[in-house]
Amino acid sequence: MNVAALRRITPAAPAETDAQSLPAWIYRDREFFERERQAIFRHSWQVVCHLNDVPRPGDFHTFDFLGEPVVVVRTEEGVRAFHNVCRHRAARLLDGPRGSCGRRITCPYHAWTYALDGRLIGVPQREAFPGLDPARHGLATLEHEVFMGFVFVRLAAGLPSVREMAAPYAAEMAAYRMEELVPLGRASLRPRAVNWKNVADNFSDGLHINVAHPGLTRLFGRGYGIEAQPWIDKMWGSLREEPSSNWSERMYQRTLPEVGHLPPERQRQWVYFKLWPNVAFDIYPDQIDFMQFLPVSPTETLIREIAYVHPDSRREMRAARYLNWRINRRVSIEDKALIERVQTGMASSSYTVGPLSVGEVSLRSFGRRIRSLIPESRQLRAPAKGWNRE
């Protein structure tokens, strides 16, 4: 990370543990993982889709998160979010990652039927359910928030709104007119045999860029910057004028066209934002991706990702998006190898915590948040089994 970037770091309140990484045991411990489910993820905002993934009434988008099936449905008035579960016998209601259910949602098990706003409107053999109050058996709703066109949900209250969490960079993000994005393809799910925090740490780590990502170094030089705010991190790099020695990178530098709605300083910049705890946006002039690091087990994570674009039929833009994919496919392969190395090392009896440099501001911020929510993460070794009684 360069000196200019260091000067732009948002200082955090000093803490005795800030200079140390989180302990290795919490990257592989089953009880700690269960505590995270309750203390972190039930209250976290998770992105499900973009409004333009569900453009018409009846369009839906599903999302499974830690055993909770979720669905976002477009209604006549906007969007609603529900548990994707029938209130009769808990059958899954809507299948597939996305689709259209028409004007109503009908359970495939017993044909209980719901309006798009979640009201129970049809029960076969209604007379066999004496005293049934339809008003009490509508779909279970989830709190949702639309932020810059993206639909977020959460299982339980507790955090600030997405808008409040992203506020330090909201004006900067607004330049990209994210509300107008349309999906480019479908969401992909990439399994990783690592703890979710390992993925999050790597995403916000600036020190490894010039060591382990030669392509990004050819594109950015040593000008990669990083900042940390309480709920959101920012990383960025600007494309150099010097042509890369790699064909894909050189052609991307040459081909990337001007984007009319972006100010001059954004035309050649790649910028990344990570929202606590596990949602990230990769913002390029030619496209915008969201990424989620979905925890599956203490040592398994799914990376969920999809690209969004502004409609642009120029041949140069189509080429730039293809080249972007080629470049970042290589970065993803490199990151996979890196986080697997770390996960393996976390099991070594020789390792507890490691020192953090003053420039590793995002890892320091992330560690503070984890320690405040789960105090056991301050311990160098795992407590005796059965410590998680919550």
Side-chain angles (χ1 to χ4, degrees):
M1 183 167 52
N2 62 15
V3 174
L6 279 170
R7 288 177 181 151
R8 297 184 63 183
I9 290 168
T10 304
E16 209 171 282
T17 52
D18 274 3
Q20 292 182 333
S21 68
L22 290 166
W25 71 271
I26 73 172
Y27 287 74
R28 48 191 169 80
D29 185 82
R30 170 63 64 179
E31 290 186 72
F32 195 88
F33 181 75
E34 293 304 319
R35 176 68 73 84
E36 288 176 326
R37 289 168 63 105
Q38 300 302 319
I40 296 175
F41 285 110
R42 283 198 63 79
H43 307 280
S44 66
W45 289 104
Q46 299 296 321
V47 64
V48 177
C49 62
H50 192 279
L51 287 175
N52 285 330
D53 285 306
V54 286
R56 294 171 296 275
D59 289 349
F60 67 85
H61 212 288
T62 64
F63 173 58
D64 288 350
F65 182 62
L66 287 173
E68 295 278 4
V70 173
V71 64
V72 166
V73 180
R74 172 73 77 163
T75 71
E76 295 286 354
E77 292 74 32
V79 292
R80 298 287 299 272
F82 305 105
H83 289 269
N84 190 15
V85 175
C86 182
R87 298 300 303 281
H88 177 214
R89 296 283 299 283
R92 185 183 187 92
L93 289 167
L94 294 168
D95 296 323
R98 62 184 182 179
S100 177
C101 60
R103 295 292 173 173
R104 58 189 61 194
I105 302 168
T106 301
C107 177
Y109 195 9
H110 298 105
W112 278 39
T113 301
Y114 305 87
L116 297 181
D117 61 8
R119 291 176 295 115
L120 178 62
I121 57 174
V123 177
Q125 302 180 38
R126 173 68 176 77
E127 67 282 359
F129 295 87
L132 177 70
D133 181 1
R136 294 180 54 199
H137 292 85
L139 294 181
T141 60
L142 283 165
E143 185 179 4
H144 76 277
E145 180 180 350
V146 178
F147 176 70
M148 295 192 176
F150 288 94
V151 184
F152 290 77
V153 301
R154 62 179 174 184
L155 301 173
L159 293 183
S161 68
V162 178
R163 189 166 300 278
E164 290 173 291
M165 293 168 71
Y169 299 115
E172 185 175 336
M173 296 169 78
Y176 292 91
R177 292 166 39 176
M178 293 163 71
E179 296 86 350
E180 302 170 17
L181 294 169
V182 296
L184 182 67
R186 297 182 175 224
S188 63
L189 292 172
R190 291 181 278 129
R192 296 290 183 262
V194 302
N195 183 272
W196 73 274
K197 294 185 293 300
N198 199 332
V199 186
D201 289 345
N202 182 72
F203 187 88
S204 296
D205 179 288
L207 294 183
H208 80 283
I209 300 298
N210 296 134
V211 178
H213 292 313
L216 295 183
T217 302
R218 288 189 293 265
L219 287 174
F220 304 148
R222 296 189 174 273
Y224 194 78
I226 183 168
E227 295 177 352
Q229 297 287 349
W231 298 104
I232 189 170
D233 300 337
K234 175 189 172 185
M235 291 68 65
W236 73 95
S238 295
L239 300 178
R240 297 196 300 168
E241 293 303 319
E242 180 182 343
S244 169
S245 59
N246 174 274
W247 179 86
S248 295
E249 297 154 10
R250 186 171 64 254
M251 290 303 296
Y252 181 82
Q253 290 172 302
R254 182 186 304 172
T255 304
L256 180 66
E258 183 175 339
V259 178
H261 62 269
L262 290 180
E265 68 274 14
R266 303 277 169 193
Q267 295 288 340
R268 310 282 288 179
Q269 186 177 82
W270 288 12
V271 60
Y272 311 87
F273 296 100
K274 191 189 76 171
L275 192 73
W276 166 265
N278 67 320
V279 175
F281 289 92
D282 301 349
I283 299 181
Y284 313 102
D286 46 294
Q287 67 184 59
I288 294 174
D289 307 344
F290 79 68
M291 292 178 61
Q292 281 165 291
F293 324 131
L294 301 177
V296 177
S297 79
T299 56
E300 296 172 285
T301 301
L302 282 176
I303 298 179
R304 179 174 181 251
E305 183 175 20
I306 182 173
Y308 292 86
V309 300
H310 289 92
D312 190 330
S313 60
R314 289 178 293 174
R315 187 168 73 173
E316 297 87 349
M317 183 59 81
R318 293 199 305 270
R321 288 168 180 164
Y322 169 71
L323 294 164
N324 181 311
W325 172 80
R326 283 180 60 95
I327 294 165
N328 280 297
R329 179 181 62 172
R330 170 52 55 185
V331 173
S332 176
I333 292 169
E334 292 163 351
D335 277 332
K336 179 177 182 292
L338 295 173
I339 59 180
E340 288 174 349
R341 284 175 178 269
V342 173
Q343 189 67 40
T344 299
M346 291 291 188
S348 170
S349 61
S350 69
Y351 188 85
T352 52
V353 297
L356 294 178
S357 77
V358 294
E360 294 179 275
V361 290
S362 295
L363 272 65
R364 287 173 176 245
S365 175
F366 186 80
R368 281 197 301 274
R369 187 71 60 189
I370 294 285
R371 292 181 184 107
S372 70
L373 291 170
I374 309 177
E376 288 80 6
S377 61
R378 298 175 179 271
Q379 300 182 27
L380 296 183
R381 303 286 183 184
K385 282 193 175 295
W387 63 269
N388 182 19
R389 299 298 186 187
E390 292 191 2

